[in-house]
Amino acid sequence: MPLPKAELHLHIEGTLEPELAFALAERNGVELPYADTDEIREAYRFEDLQSFLNLYYELMAVLRTERDFEDLSNAYLARAAAQGVRHAEIFFDPQAHIARGVGMGTVVEGLWRALGSSEENHGVSTQLIMCFLRDESAESAMETLRAAEPYLDRIVGVGLDSAEAGHPPVKFREVYEAAAALGLRRVAHAGEEGPPEYIRQALDLLGVERVDHGLSCMEDPALVDRLVRDRIPLTLCPLSNVRLRAVDTLADHPLPAMLDAGLLCTVNSDDPAYFGGYVGDNFDAVRDTLGLTEDRLRELARNSFLASFLEHDEERRRRYLAEVEAYAFP
Ligand code: ADE
Ligand code: ZN
């Protein structure tokens, strides 16, 4: 039995495996510029975040109907459950779909067809976090927030993703103020490729409660002190960092140093179809390559539930935490 855990940094579009991409392409009459699944996997040699995003947005063309988003989500939830995920807070990128003529309603209703019954079907509780694309304008983000208003009973919070360099959090200050006024929780990718300053901006100007990645904080000891003091969770994605070359090799990943510094780290998969593994695979990789002890692995699992947006159901959080403490490593 795998270690029980929450996954807090997972782009649902990043769970699109090549087999499902071809099945949906056929169902929807979409032509993919790849001969077969091997050819897609050969394209998984990324130089940086942007080279990954190019493929990620290209393959999304196959997602067109509610049923597509439902099938994508059910495939993820089944894999996540098999790797010990009890709770998942799932990102989606509505602008990438709206730009292709697929409306907010199709995306959210489709995702919900799987998420709404995920506890019964997969034993995984879920929440949805709507991300703004930071390489699009602040006006576009605000329009997206307005388009989401009819669906806010299904969306726990907002996030910020896509190409980080040159798109500092300050650009989205007003949008995050508007999201906060609607009662939405706030997270943002910061410090994946961007400098520590972007993490500071996410905290100070966007009011984020969790930082996605946050890797570059290690260049700024005063920022580390602040993140430790304020117990700001970081959603790290080790296999993603290797594939997108944020670190040279997994052995160079700062996760052990971050834990030693007292940071509230979690381990997540980001875009598991593209980066060589789901969240359990990320746990296994950091155990094997970074030599994390059972105590450290349990701490990561505990942190994932402590950092979850489960304030509406503290009884559930207690149950999940009790499972982590009771877990016997094989
Ligand atoms: N969108 C999907 N995956 C992402 C990542 N790792 N960083 C930024 N935006 C993303
Ligand atoms: Zn991400």
Side-chain angles (χ1 to χ4, degrees):
M1 190 186 78
L3 178 63
K5 55 183 78 71
E7 175 142 67
L8 306 179
H9 185 153
L10 179 281
H11 303 264
I12 196 65
E13 297 90 346
T15 69
L16 180 61
E17 295 282 349
E19 290 73 16
L20 183 59
F22 273 104
L24 298 183
E26 184 166 333
R27 192 156 90 189
N28 293 325
V30 173
E31 190 90 40
L32 281 178
Y34 299 91
D36 53 30
T37 54
D38 287 346
E39 211 173 286
I40 292 183
R41 291 201 165 89
E42 276 158 29
Y44 289 175
R45 288 199 207 102
F46 308 116
E47 316 270 292
D48 54 15
L49 175 56
Q50 187 61 58
S51 63
F52 153 69
L53 289 169
N54 295 343
L55 181 65
Y56 171 81
Y57 292 125
E58 181 180 48
L59 292 182
M60 272 184 213
V62 304
L63 297 166
R64 302 220 56 92
T65 67
E66 285 188 21
R67 193 171 147 216
D68 300 338
F69 288 94
E70 177 186 12
D71 291 350
L72 178 71
S73 303
N74 274 323
Y76 162 68
L77 290 163
R79 285 177 183 264
Q83 296 201 356
V85 172
R86 295 282 189 280
H87 176 74
E89 300 191 355
I90 297 175
F91 294 140
F92 69 111
D93 283 332
Q95 285 157 293
H97 308 302
I98 292 168
R100 302 181 291 108
V102 178
M104 181 71 80
T106 301
V107 179
V108 176
E109 297 291 353
L111 295 171
W112 201 255
R113 277 160 66 155
L115 271 52
S117 51
S118 171
E119 276 211 81
E120 297 92 282
N121 291 341
H122 303 286
V124 179
S125 55
T126 59
Q127 315 236 49
L128 268 180
I129 298 178
M130 178 176 79
C131 286
F132 304 117
L133 302 183
R134 67 200 307 156
D135 45 357
E136 299 290 333
S137 68
E139 292 72 28
S140 170
M142 193 66 95
E143 278 169 28
T144 308
L145 182 63
R146 295 303 167 217
E149 282 192 41
Y151 307 99
L152 289 187
D153 55 335
R154 289 166 184 195
I155 297 173
V156 72
V158 295
L160 187 63
D161 65 1
S162 202
E164 186 179 9
H167 300 287
V170 61
K171 183 174 158 188
F172 297 94
R173 192 179 192 157
E174 287 79 19
V175 184
Y176 270 65
E177 271 168 18
L182 290 167
L184 291 162
R185 313 293 296 262
R186 288 163 286 170
V187 301
H189 284 52
E192 180 184 21
E193 285 189 344
E197 170 59 18
Y198 284 18
I199 301 173
R200 290 181 182 280
Q201 283 189 14
L203 296 168
D204 293 334
L205 307 181
L206 305 187
V208 304
E209 301 172 70
R210 266 187 340 227
V211 176
D212 296 315
H213 294 294
L215 211 58
S216 70
C217 76
M218 295 305 276
E219 299 162 21
D220 183 339
L223 177 58
V224 170
D225 288 348
R226 173 181 178 185
L227 293 167
V228 171
R229 186 194 64 222
D230 294 344
R231 304 268 296 152
I232 304 289
L234 305 180
T235 63
L236 300 171
C237 307
L239 291 176
S240 163
N241 296 150
V242 175
R243 292 298 184 101
L244 301 187
R245 308 203 187 176
V247 297
D248 290 336
T249 71
L250 190 56
D252 302 306
H253 200 281
L255 173 62
M258 297 174 93
L259 288 167
D260 287 344
L263 288 163
L264 204 161
C265 299
T266 66
V267 162
N268 308 272
S269 69
D270 208 0
D271 301 283
Y274 294 86
F275 300 150
Y278 286 74
V279 66
D281 303 312
N282 274 266
F283 269 76
D284 290 349
V286 298
R287 179 197 62 207
D288 295 345
T289 304
L290 297 171
L292 291 195
T293 62
E294 290 178 0
D295 280 352
R296 282 300 196 205
L297 296 170
R298 197 187 305 276
E299 176 184 349
L300 289 169
R302 185 186 303 125
N303 287 349
S304 71
F305 293 115
L306 293 174
S308 297
F309 291 150
L310 281 170
E311 281 75 6
H312 63 289
D313 194 351
E314 290 294 349
E315 171 51 36
R316 177 186 297 276
R317 194 199 311 267
R318 265 193 297 279
R319 237 186 309 126
Y320 288 147
L321 285 167
E323 265 195 74
V324 172
E325 301 315 324
Y327 181 76
F329 284 89

